[in-house]
Amino acid sequence: MAARRPDRAKALELAVLGLLADAPLHGYELRKRLNTTLGALRAFSYGSLYPCLKDLLRRGLIAEDTRVPAADPGRGAPARPLAGRRAKIVYRLTPEGREHLRRRLAEAGPAAWEDDGFGVHFTLFAQTRADIRLRILEGRRNRLEERVESCRTALARTRERQDGYAAELQRHGLESVEREVRWLNELIGRERAAAGERGAQQRRHAPSSGTDRGDAD
């Protein structure tokens, strides 16, 4: 279990940076976004969020601004701070943090397709290069195909012991993994089709060698 903590910490860091890349957020809103948008992070303790933010601040990847809630004075009048209201700390991505996020999104190693990291990377696919997306999806599928074989072996052994309830639970787990593999196959097919279309468009718009020679003459 201890070996998984660094991976979870890295996944949480990536999720925070990805959310702050869209817009500055205060801590409460950041927690809400992690909960509603990044379902893969629900296994994380939210007690780890603020140490993560503190570490990102220390490394200069994010910065914090203090904002005092203001009353709405009406159209055309300047806003006035509300008396007695505490200032909110708003976190924003720094240029160094944006560059760090870019480098993290270019990673396609095992951490990107394991359980702790895949969901976070997937939610940031819109900011990820197409070739990296495909490598992560294929890596995730390979990992789950290995898991399918392990689940089938375990299920066969449980049936030999005639433990019906344990077998039913394992069957449910096997079906869940097989369902995700089918989903990944669909996504991989779409990514490959899109890559083929992009390649075809590039070839159609590329100058022919004959045209190049004619221009040179």
Side-chain angles (χ1 to χ4, degrees), residues 8-184:
R8 287 191 171 187
K10 289 180 180 179
L12 179 58
E13 174 187 294
L14 179 61
V16 169
L17 293 175
L19 286 173
L20 294 181
D22 291 334
L25 297 168
H26 56 77
Y28 176 71
E29 184 63 25
L30 190 54
R31 285 181 57 181
K32 284 174 56 180
R33 297 283 183 91
L34 289 171
N35 186 48
T36 59
T37 306
L38 303 176
L41 286 181
R42 288 174 185 166
F44 288 100
S45 166
Y46 283 113
S48 62
L49 173 59
Y50 290 98
C52 174
L53 292 172
K54 185 176 180 180
D55 181 61
L56 293 173
L57 285 166
R58 179 185 60 80
R59 293 156 59 193
L61 302 181
I62 65 173
E64 58 183 16
D65 298 323
T66 303
R67 300 179 185 176
V68 179
D72 184 1
R75 191 172 181 179
R80 294 177 291 101
L82 287 172
R85 295 292 296 274
R86 290 196 307 170
K88 289 184 177 180
I89 296 176
V90 177
Y91 300 95
R92 58 179 172 82
L93 205 60
T94 64
E96 294 80 7
R98 198 168 295 277
E99 174 61 22
H100 182 75
L101 175 62
R102 186 193 65 78
R103 291 196 301 268
R104 287 289 307 273
L105 291 177
E107 297 174 357
W113 55 70
E114 295 292 354
D115 292 343
D116 290 332
F118 175 72
V120 177
H121 276 272
F122 188 80
T123 60
L124 298 174
F125 265 14
Q127 305 177 48
T128 306
R129 290 198 333 251
D131 60 318
I132 300 297
R133 293 198 303 265
L134 185 57
R135 286 168 60 187
I136 292 174
L137 290 172
E138 290 175 338
R140 178 65 175 174
R141 182 182 62 182
N142 292 341
R143 179 68 76 245
L144 290 184
E145 286 175 342
E146 295 172 358
R147 193 174 298 174
V148 164
E149 293 305 315
S150 297
C151 289
R152 287 174 177 166
T153 301
L155 179 58
R157 290 173 179 169
T158 302
R159 283 173 173 166
E160 289 175 359
R161 298 199 309 268
Q162 298 183 344
D163 187 339
Y165 290 105
E168 187 63 23
L169 182 61
Q170 289 176 343
R171 184 188 64 80
H172 174 70
L174 173 60
E175 290 176 353
S176 298
V177 178
E178 289 175 332
R179 186 163 52 248
E180 185 172 348
V181 170
R182 290 193 296 270
W183 173 66
L184 289 167

